[in-house]
Amino acid sequence: MSQTISIRTAPFAGAAAPLTIIYAAEDAAPAGAAAAIWAATGLDWVETAAAAAFKGKQGQALDVMGKGGRRLLVLGSGKPVADAPLNGWTDRGGSLMHKLAATRAGSVSVILDEAGASAAAIAELAAGLRLRHYKFDKYKSARSDDAPAALAVTLHVADPAAAETAIADRNATVEGTLLARDLVNEPANILGPVEFAARAAQLSDLGVEVEILEPEALEKLGMGSLLCVAQGSDRPARLVIMHWRGGDVGAAPLAFVGKGVVFDTGGISIKPAANMEDMKGDMGGAAAVTGLMHTLAARKAPVNAVGVIGLVENMPSGGSVRPGDIVKAMSGTTIEVINTDAEGRLVLADALWYTQDRFKPRFMINLATLTGAIIVALGHEHAGLFSNNDELSIQLLNAGLNANEKLWRMPLAPAYDKMIESKFADIRNSVGRPAGSITAAQFLQRFVNNVPWAHLDIAGTAFGAGTSEVNTSWAPGFGVALLDRLVRDYYQG
Ligand code: BES
Ligand code: MN
Ligand code: ZN
């Protein structure tokens, strides 16, 4: 069982937990409320800091054991920066969680009275604490671990009421990110298309309308592209539509579409064995969309939004789609399946068409762990952004910087589009190695009409990107904070 965490706020008076955290800036003594707490140790600041080689740099810590079993931890906050970005506070929360975990404390008071600790900053710090606290350890047999079962954090702040409001609002986004992490981390034997759809259906508790389409309905809609991917699996496909109506009645919704391949063996064009286990994360796009819908509903976002996820499993079997097979998408476009491992675009072709056709959205953004080639291009630092719309692209790039889930724009062009022409059908699903991420994006664009559209290739960022200050899990939940930021900053007004 994972440790539980609770975070509350209180005024400065009466910090009495067995462990107290104060901050000191670079080359400066603790100030304000922290100064009084330090003074109670009876120690000389300059001498003690020098003896501990503590300079107040970000990441440094000075641990003091006091009388009566009280413990004081002084953390460096670095150089004060005017207009420091808010996501610096998220990282600070993550770093604090790391230090806290090492103390094995069950109850802690954190003194946050420095300049710049606005309600929004404190909410980021609280978010960082929770994001770093997350562990996916449900399949680990219980070990004797000296960490307490519960961790209670009290943030001592100037204006607790304002901080509480900001923390609750920001926590809606954290919950969405953690939901996305849980979904991506879950193995495919537990989370098939049917089980994933059931998890999405739970969003109805928050007021999201959830529809689940089964293969017969998808057949009737003409989704031959999506369905051909699922045909080799014993587990049937699902298309899930999540509808949040928080905006004006009848106003066009924002649309988010996700690739949900619960496991990608490659199908008949089977993948090599090395690292194939990672392909349980090939539903990272669908997980981000589901997490985002959770977030929008949990914070009662004043917008209309739809999330559409295509859930399939890509397996080799006697019933699998073959290289050379020609399938017909809902749009009427015929597709020659050259490589059954280029399955994500086949799923998205129908999910995108269906979404724009039914909802006439204000914009349509899809997320997909689509190509290994995007990892070759951008590594794990940026997700690839492809779009037919400059304004939407700039908004997304900004949201990515602010949420610290960064994007890098890649090109679309007629010359790349030509590359996906097929000898036998309208288009083919796989070309050669050159521009692999771009030709995949061009394929998707064939199923997008005049709506502002963006495709985020998150193959390098949805899992296995390494740990960060706010995440130690395999799956960071990439995309939820980014898209929530986009909605908050540009579409709520
Ligand atoms: N799910 C993979 C892409 C992927 C690879 C995601 C590594 C995360 C990590 C996708 O379905 C795929 O197999 N793409 C192929 C396309 C090719 C056959 C045109 C690829 O990238 O090799
Ligand atoms: Mn594949
Ligand atoms: Zn895939």
Side-chain angles (χ1 to χ4, degrees), residues 247-295:
D248 295 339
V249 175
L254 313 176
F256 303 93
V257 179
K259 169 181 173 180
V261 177
V262 299
F263 196 80
D264 180 14
T265 63
I268 297 301
S269 315
I270 197 162
K271 289 181 180 294
N275 305 117
M276 205 208 274
E277 68 277 15
D278 283 356
M279 288 299 112
K280 72 172 183 175
D282 208 20
M283 26 56 73
V289 169
T290 307
L292 176 70
M293 296 308 293
H294 175 106
T295 292

mmCIF file of all heavy atoms in Angstrom, residues 247-295:
data_model
loop_
_atom_site.group_PDB
_atom_site.id
_atom_site.type_symbol
_atom_site.label_atom_id
_atom_site.label_comp_id
_atom_site.label_asym_id
_atom_site.label_seq_id
_atom_site.Cartn_x
_atom_site.Cartn_y
_atom_site.Cartn_z
ATOM 1 N N GLY A 247 -19.835 24.917 -20.444
ATOM 2 C CA GLY A 247 -19.929 26.229 -21.100
ATOM 3 C C GLY A 247 -21.342 26.551 -21.531
ATOM 4 O O GLY A 247 -22.307 25.942 -21.055
ATOM 5 N N ASP A 248 -21.467 27.525 -22.427
ATOM 6 C CA ASP A 248 -22.787 27.942 -22.898
ATOM 7 C C ASP A 248 -23.455 26.799 -23.660
ATOM 8 O O ASP A 248 -22.800 26.090 -24.428
ATOM 9 C CB ASP A 248 -22.656 29.155 -23.838
ATOM 10 C CG ASP A 248 -22.126 30.377 -23.094
ATOM 11 O OD1 ASP A 248 -22.255 30.394 -21.846
ATOM 12 O OD2 ASP A 248 -21.582 31.279 -23.754
ATOM 13 N N VAL A 249 -24.754 26.674 -23.450
ATOM 14 C CA VAL A 249 -25.512 25.635 -24.151
ATOM 15 C C VAL A 249 -25.393 25.863 -25.660
ATOM 16 O O VAL A 249 -25.590 26.971 -26.151
ATOM 17 C CB VAL A 249 -27.004 25.666 -23.727
ATOM 18 C CG1 VAL A 249 -27.821 24.665 -24.549
ATOM 19 C CG2 VAL A 249 -27.133 25.365 -22.231
ATOM 20 N N GLY A 250 -25.001 24.840 -26.369
ATOM 21 C CA GLY A 250 -24.921 24.938 -27.824
ATOM 22 C C GLY A 250 -23.599 25.472 -28.350
ATOM 23 O O GLY A 250 -23.348 25.412 -29.555
ATOM 24 N N ALA A 251 -22.724 25.991 -27.457
ATOM 25 C CA ALA A 251 -21.428 26.497 -27.932
ATOM 26 C C ALA A 251 -20.560 25.322 -28.397
ATOM 27 O O ALA A 251 -20.531 24.268 -27.760
ATOM 28 C CB ALA A 251 -20.723 27.257 -26.810
ATOM 29 N N ALA A 252 -19.858 25.533 -29.523
ATOM 30 C CA ALA A 252 -19.024 24.454 -30.086
ATOM 31 C C ALA A 252 -18.010 23.987 -29.048
ATOM 32 O O ALA A 252 -17.363 24.800 -28.384
ATOM 33 C CB ALA A 252 -18.312 24.955 -31.337
ATOM 34 N N PRO A 253 -17.848 22.685 -28.893
ATOM 35 C CA PRO A 253 -16.911 22.174 -27.886
ATOM 36 C C PRO A 253 -15.465 22.198 -28.366
ATOM 37 O O PRO A 253 -15.187 22.237 -29.567
ATOM 38 C CB PRO A 253 -17.372 20.726 -27.699
ATOM 39 C CG PRO A 253 -17.917 20.337 -29.036
ATOM 40 C CD PRO A 253 -18.545 21.595 -29.613
ATOM 41 N N LEU A 254 -14.558 22.140 -27.409
ATOM 42 C CA LEU A 254 -13.158 21.854 -27.683
ATOM 43 C C LEU A 254 -13.075 20.328 -27.769
ATOM 44 O O LEU A 254 -13.705 19.638 -26.976
ATOM 45 C CB LEU A 254 -12.279 22.350 -26.529
ATOM 46 C CG LEU A 254 -12.575 23.770 -26.033
ATOM 47 C CD1 LEU A 254 -11.693 24.094 -24.815
ATOM 48 C CD2 LEU A 254 -12.348 24.781 -27.149
ATOM 49 N N ALA A 255 -12.322 19.814 -28.734
ATOM 50 C CA ALA A 255 -12.288 18.357 -28.891
ATOM 51 C C ALA A 255 -10.874 17.815 -28.709
ATOM 52 O O ALA A 255 -9.902 18.380 -29.222
ATOM 53 C CB ALA A 255 -12.821 17.955 -30.261
ATOM 54 N N PHE A 256 -10.777 16.727 -27.949
ATOM 55 C CA PHE A 256 -9.508 16.060 -27.679
ATOM 56 C C PHE A 256 -9.662 14.586 -28.049
ATOM 57 O O PHE A 256 -10.622 13.943 -27.631
ATOM 58 C CB PHE A 256 -9.138 16.217 -26.206
ATOM 59 C CG PHE A 256 -9.057 17.658 -25.783
ATOM 60 C CD1 PHE A 256 -10.165 18.301 -25.222
ATOM 61 C CD2 PHE A 256 -7.897 18.391 -25.998
ATOM 62 C CE1 PHE A 256 -10.109 19.643 -24.858
ATOM 63 C CE2 PHE A 256 -7.830 19.740 -25.636
ATOM 64 C CZ PHE A 256 -8.937 20.364 -25.067
ATOM 65 N N VAL A 257 -8.728 14.095 -28.835
ATOM 66 C CA VAL A 257 -8.837 12.738 -29.366
ATOM 67 C C VAL A 257 -7.568 11.979 -28.977
ATOM 68 O O VAL A 257 -6.457 12.524 -29.091
ATOM 69 C CB VAL A 257 -8.998 12.782 -30.906
ATOM 70 C CG1 VAL A 257 -9.081 11.373 -31.486
ATOM 71 C CG2 VAL A 257 -10.250 13.591 -31.294
ATOM 72 N N GLY A 258 -7.710 10.743 -28.533
ATOM 73 C CA GLY A 258 -6.535 10.014 -28.064
ATOM 74 C C GLY A 258 -6.380 8.639 -28.691
ATOM 75 O O GLY A 258 -7.356 7.913 -28.886
ATOM 76 N N LYS A 259 -5.122 8.307 -28.990
ATOM 77 C CA LYS A 259 -4.781 6.946 -29.413
ATOM 78 C C LYS A 259 -4.750 6.050 -28.180
ATOM 79 O O LYS A 259 -3.978 6.297 -27.251
ATOM 80 C CB LYS A 259 -3.411 6.935 -30.102
ATOM 81 C CG LYS A 259 -2.838 5.511 -30.335
ATOM 82 C CD LYS A 259 -1.466 5.527 -31.008
ATOM 83 C CE LYS A 259 -0.851 4.120 -31.062
ATOM 84 N NZ LYS A 259 0.487 4.089 -31.700
ATOM 85 N N GLY A 260 -5.558 4.999 -28.225
ATOM 86 C CA GLY A 260 -5.618 4.099 -27.075
ATOM 87 C C GLY A 260 -5.324 2.664 -27.472
ATOM 88 O O GLY A 260 -6.197 1.797 -27.428
ATOM 89 N N VAL A 261 -4.092 2.401 -27.893
ATOM 90 C CA VAL A 261 -3.689 1.025 -28.201
ATOM 91 C C VAL A 261 -3.202 0.421 -26.883
ATOM 92 O O VAL A 261 -2.116 0.767 -26.403
ATOM 93 C CB VAL A 261 -2.606 0.985 -29.306
ATOM 94 C CG1 VAL A 261 -2.152 -0.457 -29.563
ATOM 95 C CG2 VAL A 261 -3.163 1.598 -30.596
ATOM 96 N N VAL A 262 -4.020 -0.422 -26.289
ATOM 97 C CA VAL A 262 -3.703 -0.917 -24.933
ATOM 98 C C VAL A 262 -2.453 -1.777 -24.931
ATOM 99 O O VAL A 262 -1.759 -1.867 -23.922
ATOM 100 C CB VAL A 262 -4.880 -1.675 -24.290
ATOM 101 C CG1 VAL A 262 -6.091 -0.765 -24.136
ATOM 102 C CG2 VAL A 262 -5.225 -2.942 -25.072
ATOM 103 N N PHE A 263 -2.173 -2.407 -26.071
ATOM 104 C CA PHE A 263 -0.879 -3.057 -26.254
ATOM 105 C C PHE A 263 -0.601 -3.146 -27.745
ATOM 106 O O PHE A 263 -1.465 -3.510 -28.533
ATOM 107 C CB PHE A 263 -0.812 -4.458 -25.619
ATOM 108 C CG PHE A 263 0.605 -4.924 -25.496
ATOM 109 C CD1 PHE A 263 1.412 -4.488 -24.460
ATOM 110 C CD2 PHE A 263 1.169 -5.757 -26.461
ATOM 111 C CE1 PHE A 263 2.747 -4.874 -24.367
ATOM 112 C CE2 PHE A 263 2.504 -6.147 -26.380
ATOM 113 C CZ PHE A 263 3.298 -5.705 -25.324
ATOM 114 N N ASP A 264 0.637 -2.800 -28.104
ATOM 115 C CA ASP A 264 1.021 -2.775 -29.518
ATOM 116 C C ASP A 264 2.151 -3.770 -29.764
ATOM 117 O O ASP A 264 3.323 -3.473 -29.534
ATOM 118 C CB ASP A 264 1.464 -1.357 -29.906
ATOM 119 C CG ASP A 264 1.879 -1.265 -31.369
ATOM 120 O OD1 ASP A 264 1.580 -2.209 -32.134
ATOM 121 O OD2 ASP A 264 2.481 -0.223 -31.740
ATOM 122 N N THR A 265 1.756 -4.967 -30.225
ATOM 123 C CA THR A 265 2.793 -5.951 -30.584
ATOM 124 C C THR A 265 3.375 -5.650 -31.958
ATOM 125 O O THR A 265 4.402 -6.223 -32.345
ATOM 126 C CB THR A 265 2.198 -7.375 -30.680
ATOM 127 O OG1 THR A 265 1.219 -7.380 -31.744
ATOM 128 C CG2 THR A 265 1.538 -7.803 -29.380
ATOM 129 N N GLY A 266 2.685 -4.782 -32.701
ATOM 130 C CA GLY A 266 3.019 -4.567 -34.101
ATOM 131 C C GLY A 266 2.099 -5.362 -35.026
ATOM 132 O O GLY A 266 2.024 -5.102 -36.206
ATOM 133 N N GLY A 267 1.423 -6.367 -34.461
ATOM 134 C CA GLY A 267 0.565 -7.215 -35.300
ATOM 135 C C GLY A 267 1.412 -8.143 -36.154
ATOM 136 O O GLY A 267 2.480 -8.592 -35.734
ATOM 137 N N ILE A 268 0.960 -8.438 -37.368
ATOM 138 C CA ILE A 268 1.706 -9.342 -38.261
ATOM 139 C C ILE A 268 3.096 -8.763 -38.559
ATOM 140 O O ILE A 268 4.078 -9.499 -38.654
ATOM 141 C CB ILE A 268 0.913 -9.591 -39.561
ATOM 142 C CG1 ILE A 268 -0.410 -10.303 -39.250
ATOM 143 C CG2 ILE A 268 1.755 -10.380 -40.576
ATOM 144 C CD1 ILE A 268 -0.286 -11.653 -38.558
ATOM 145 N N SER A 269 3.207 -7.458 -38.661
ATOM 146 C CA SER A 269 4.525 -6.795 -38.801
ATOM 147 C C SER A 269 5.116 -6.675 -37.401
ATOM 148 O O SER A 269 5.379 -5.583 -36.897
ATOM 149 C CB SER A 269 4.362 -5.411 -39.423
ATOM 150 O OG SER A 269 3.486 -5.430 -40.532
ATOM 151 N N ILE A 270 5.319 -7.831 -36.784
ATOM 152 C CA ILE A 270 5.581 -7.859 -35.335
ATOM 153 C C ILE A 270 6.875 -7.137 -34.941
ATOM 154 O O ILE A 270 7.847 -7.132 -35.700
ATOM 155 C CB ILE A 270 5.572 -9.325 -34.838
ATOM 156 C CG1 ILE A 270 5.418 -9.381 -33.312
ATOM 157 C CG2 ILE A 270 6.832 -10.069 -35.308
ATOM 158 C CD1 ILE A 270 4.965 -10.762 -32.817
ATOM 159 N N LYS A 271 6.846 -6.557 -33.775
ATOM 160 C CA LYS A 271 7.995 -5.824 -33.249
ATOM 161 C C LYS A 271 9.041 -6.793 -32.709
ATOM 162 O O LYS A 271 8.697 -7.893 -32.281
ATOM 163 C CB LYS A 271 7.553 -4.931 -32.084
ATOM 164 C CG LYS A 271 6.715 -3.736 -32.461
ATOM 165 C CD LYS A 271 6.368 -2.919 -31.221
ATOM 166 C CE LYS A 271 5.528 -1.701 -31.574
ATOM 167 N NZ LYS A 271 6.243 -0.715 -32.399
ATOM 168 N N PRO A 272 10.296 -6.380 -32.639
ATOM 169 C CA PRO A 272 11.311 -7.177 -31.933
ATOM 170 C C PRO A 272 10.977 -7.284 -30.444
ATOM 171 O O PRO A 272 10.238 -6.455 -29.914
ATOM 172 C CB PRO A 272 12.607 -6.392 -32.138
ATOM 173 C CG PRO A 272 12.291 -5.222 -32.994
ATOM 174 C CD PRO A 272 10.827 -5.120 -33.176
ATOM 175 N N ALA A 273 11.509 -8.301 -29.776
ATOM 176 C CA ALA A 273 11.174 -8.545 -28.363
ATOM 177 C C ALA A 273 11.709 -7.456 -27.427
ATOM 178 O O ALA A 273 11.073 -7.136 -26.429
ATOM 179 C CB ALA A 273 11.724 -9.898 -27.928
ATOM 180 N N ALA A 274 12.875 -6.888 -27.751
ATOM 181 C CA ALA A 274 13.504 -5.943 -26.818
ATOM 182 C C ALA A 274 12.579 -4.756 -26.548
ATOM 183 O O ALA A 274 12.143 -4.076 -27.473
ATOM 184 C CB ALA A 274 14.838 -5.456 -27.388
ATOM 185 N N ASN A 275 12.314 -4.535 -25.283
ATOM 186 C CA ASN A 275 11.489 -3.408 -24.819
ATOM 187 C C ASN A 275 10.033 -3.456 -25.274
ATOM 188 O O ASN A 275 9.328 -2.457 -25.170
ATOM 189 C CB ASN A 275 12.089 -2.050 -25.238
ATOM 190 C CG ASN A 275 13.527 -1.901 -24.780
ATOM 191 O OD1 ASN A 275 14.442 -1.786 -25.579
ATOM 192 N ND2 ASN A 275 13.738 -1.939 -23.477
ATOM 193 N N MET A 276 9.582 -4.594 -25.783
ATOM 194 C CA MET A 276 8.183 -4.609 -26.229
ATOM 195 C C MET A 276 7.222 -4.363 -25.074
ATOM 196 O O MET A 276 6.113 -3.868 -25.265
ATOM 197 C CB MET A 276 7.823 -5.911 -26.952
ATOM 198 C CG MET A 276 6.645 -5.699 -27.910
ATOM 199 S SD MET A 276 5.671 -7.153 -28.195
ATOM 200 C CE MET A 276 6.573 -7.922 -29.521
ATOM 201 N N GLU A 277 7.663 -4.704 -23.852
ATOM 202 C CA GLU A 277 6.806 -4.465 -22.682
ATOM 203 C C GLU A 277 6.389 -2.994 -22.550
ATOM 204 O O GLU A 277 5.333 -2.681 -21.993
ATOM 205 C CB GLU A 277 7.506 -4.937 -21.394
ATOM 206 C CG GLU A 277 8.734 -4.142 -20.974
ATOM 207 C CD GLU A 277 10.030 -4.549 -21.680
ATOM 208 O OE1 GLU A 277 9.965 -5.256 -22.703
ATOM 209 O OE2 GLU A 277 11.105 -4.137 -21.212
ATOM 210 N N ASP A 278 7.201 -2.102 -23.102
ATOM 211 C CA ASP A 278 6.838 -0.677 -23.052
ATOM 212 C C ASP A 278 5.538 -0.391 -23.802
ATOM 213 O O ASP A 278 4.907 0.640 -23.576
ATOM 214 C CB ASP A 278 7.946 0.187 -23.686
ATOM 215 C CG ASP A 278 9.142 0.357 -22.764
ATOM 216 O OD1 ASP A 278 9.092 -0.129 -21.615
ATOM 217 O OD2 ASP A 278 10.132 0.980 -23.207
ATOM 218 N N MET A 279 5.174 -1.282 -24.706
ATOM 219 C CA MET A 279 4.002 -1.020 -25.535
ATOM 220 C C MET A 279 2.679 -1.151 -24.795
ATOM 221 O O MET A 279 1.616 -0.937 -25.357
ATOM 222 C CB MET A 279 4.035 -1.880 -26.801
ATOM 223 C CG MET A 279 5.100 -1.416 -27.795
ATOM 224 S SD MET A 279 4.778 0.289 -28.355
ATOM 225 C CE MET A 279 6.173 1.141 -27.611
ATOM 226 N N LYS A 280 2.753 -1.449 -23.478
ATOM 227 C CA LYS A 280 1.540 -1.311 -22.661
ATOM 228 C C LYS A 280 1.187 0.176 -22.516
ATOM 229 O O LYS A 280 0.084 0.521 -22.121
ATOM 230 C CB LYS A 280 1.749 -1.938 -21.276
ATOM 231 C CG LYS A 280 2.677 -1.142 -20.359
ATOM 232 C CD LYS A 280 2.689 -1.703 -18.949
ATOM 233 C CE LYS A 280 3.578 -0.849 -18.035
ATOM 234 N NZ LYS A 280 3.524 -1.301 -16.640
ATOM 235 N N GLY A 281 2.153 1.019 -22.814
ATOM 236 C CA GLY A 281 1.925 2.472 -22.687
ATOM 237 C C GLY A 281 1.447 3.122 -23.970
ATOM 238 O O GLY A 281 1.366 4.347 -24.051
ATOM 239 N N ASP A 282 1.095 2.291 -24.964
ATOM 240 C CA ASP A 282 0.720 2.859 -26.258
ATOM 241 C C ASP A 282 -0.697 3.442 -26.263
ATOM 242 O O ASP A 282 -1.229 3.777 -27.306
ATOM 243 C CB ASP A 282 0.872 1.778 -27.346
ATOM 244 C CG ASP A 282 1.164 2.348 -28.723
ATOM 245 O OD1 ASP A 282 1.616 3.514 -28.799
ATOM 246 O OD2 ASP A 282 0.934 1.635 -29.719
ATOM 247 N N MET A 283 -1.243 3.551 -25.051
ATOM 248 C CA MET A 283 -2.541 4.228 -24.895
ATOM 249 C C MET A 283 -2.341 5.554 -24.155
ATOM 250 O O MET A 283 -3.275 6.098 -23.564
ATOM 251 C CB MET A 283 -3.559 3.339 -24.155
ATOM 252 C CG MET A 283 -2.995 2.294 -23.216
ATOM 253 S SD MET A 283 -1.915 3.023 -21.967
ATOM 254 C CE MET A 283 -3.160 3.804 -20.964
ATOM 255 N N GLY A 284 -1.096 6.065 -24.180
ATOM 256 C CA GLY A 284 -0.787 7.307 -23.466
ATOM 257 C C GLY A 284 -1.602 8.500 -23.943
ATOM 258 O O GLY A 284 -1.920 9.395 -23.148
ATOM 259 N N GLY A 285 -1.942 8.526 -25.211
ATOM 260 C CA GLY A 285 -2.779 9.622 -25.726
ATOM 261 C C GLY A 285 -4.176 9.548 -25.138
ATOM 262 O O GLY A 285 -4.722 10.549 -24.648
ATOM 263 N N ALA A 286 -4.742 8.353 -25.136
ATOM 264 C CA ALA A 286 -6.084 8.161 -24.570
ATOM 265 C C ALA A 286 -6.075 8.440 -23.067
ATOM 266 O O ALA A 286 -7.038 8.990 -22.518
ATOM 267 C CB ALA A 286 -6.564 6.740 -24.845
ATOM 268 N N ALA A 287 -4.980 8.078 -22.399
ATOM 269 C CA ALA A 287 -4.877 8.330 -20.953
ATOM 270 C C ALA A 287 -4.862 9.832 -20.675
ATOM 271 O O ALA A 287 -5.511 10.306 -19.741
ATOM 272 C CB ALA A 287 -3.611 7.682 -20.401
ATOM 273 N N ALA A 288 -4.133 10.579 -21.502
ATOM 274 C CA ALA A 288 -4.075 12.036 -21.309
ATOM 275 C C ALA A 288 -5.447 12.666 -21.538
ATOM 276 O O ALA A 288 -5.861 13.566 -20.790
ATOM 277 C CB ALA A 288 -3.038 12.647 -22.245
ATOM 278 N N VAL A 289 -6.149 12.202 -22.552
ATOM 279 C CA VAL A 289 -7.486 12.751 -22.829
ATOM 280 C C VAL A 289 -8.430 12.437 -21.665
ATOM 281 O O VAL A 289 -9.186 13.302 -21.205
ATOM 282 C CB VAL A 289 -8.041 12.192 -24.160
ATOM 283 C CG1 VAL A 289 -9.513 12.537 -24.327
ATOM 284 C CG2 VAL A 289 -7.224 12.733 -25.334
ATOM 285 N N THR A 290 -8.351 11.222 -21.137
ATOM 286 C CA THR A 290 -9.213 10.827 -20.019
ATOM 287 C C THR A 290 -8.866 11.646 -18.767
ATOM 288 O O THR A 290 -9.747 12.146 -18.063
ATOM 289 C CB THR A 290 -9.058 9.316 -19.742
ATOM 290 O OG1 THR A 290 -9.282 8.612 -20.966
ATOM 291 C CG2 THR A 290 -10.050 8.835 -18.700
ATOM 292 N N GLY A 291 -7.566 11.808 -18.522
ATOM 293 C CA GLY A 291 -7.126 12.619 -17.383
ATOM 294 C C GLY A 291 -7.589 14.061 -17.521
ATOM 295 O O GLY A 291 -8.028 14.688 -16.548
ATOM 296 N N LEU A 292 -7.496 14.583 -18.732
ATOM 297 C CA LEU A 292 -7.930 15.971 -18.963
ATOM 298 C C LEU A 292 -9.432 16.114 -18.716
ATOM 299 O O LEU A 292 -9.860 17.093 -18.077
ATOM 300 C CB LEU A 292 -7.599 16.392 -20.400
ATOM 301 C CG LEU A 292 -8.099 17.790 -20.753
ATOM 302 C CD1 LEU A 292 -7.304 18.867 -20.017
ATOM 303 C CD2 LEU A 292 -8.043 18.039 -22.258
ATOM 304 N N MET A 293 -10.219 15.173 -19.185
ATOM 305 C CA MET A 293 -11.670 15.269 -18.973
ATOM 306 C C MET A 293 -11.990 15.206 -17.483
ATOM 307 O O MET A 293 -12.887 15.896 -16.998
ATOM 308 C CB MET A 293 -12.393 14.155 -19.742
ATOM 309 C CG MET A 293 -12.251 14.236 -21.256
ATOM 310 S SD MET A 293 -12.665 15.832 -21.995
ATOM 311 C CE MET A 293 -14.425 15.896 -21.676
ATOM 312 N N HIS A 294 -11.238 14.386 -16.761
ATOM 313 C CA HIS A 294 -11.386 14.347 -15.301
ATOM 314 C C HIS A 294 -11.121 15.738 -14.719
ATOM 315 O O HIS A 294 -11.901 16.249 -13.916
ATOM 316 C CB HIS A 294 -10.430 13.320 -14.687
ATOM 317 C CG HIS A 294 -10.447 13.320 -13.187
ATOM 318 N ND1 HIS A 294 -11.052 12.328 -12.446
ATOM 319 C CD2 HIS A 294 -9.964 14.225 -12.285
ATOM 320 C CE1 HIS A 294 -10.937 12.617 -11.160
ATOM 321 N NE2 HIS A 294 -10.266 13.759 -11.034
ATOM 322 N N THR A 295 -10.008 16.325 -15.143
ATOM 323 C CA THR A 295 -9.617 17.632 -14.612
ATOM 324 C C THR A 295 -10.667 18.700 -14.910
ATOM 325 O O THR A 295 -11.060 19.466 -14.016
ATOM 326 C CB THR A 295 -8.264 18.048 -15.239
ATOM 327 O OG1 THR A 295 -7.259 17.161 -14.748
ATOM 328 C CG2 THR A 295 -7.903 19.475 -14.875
#
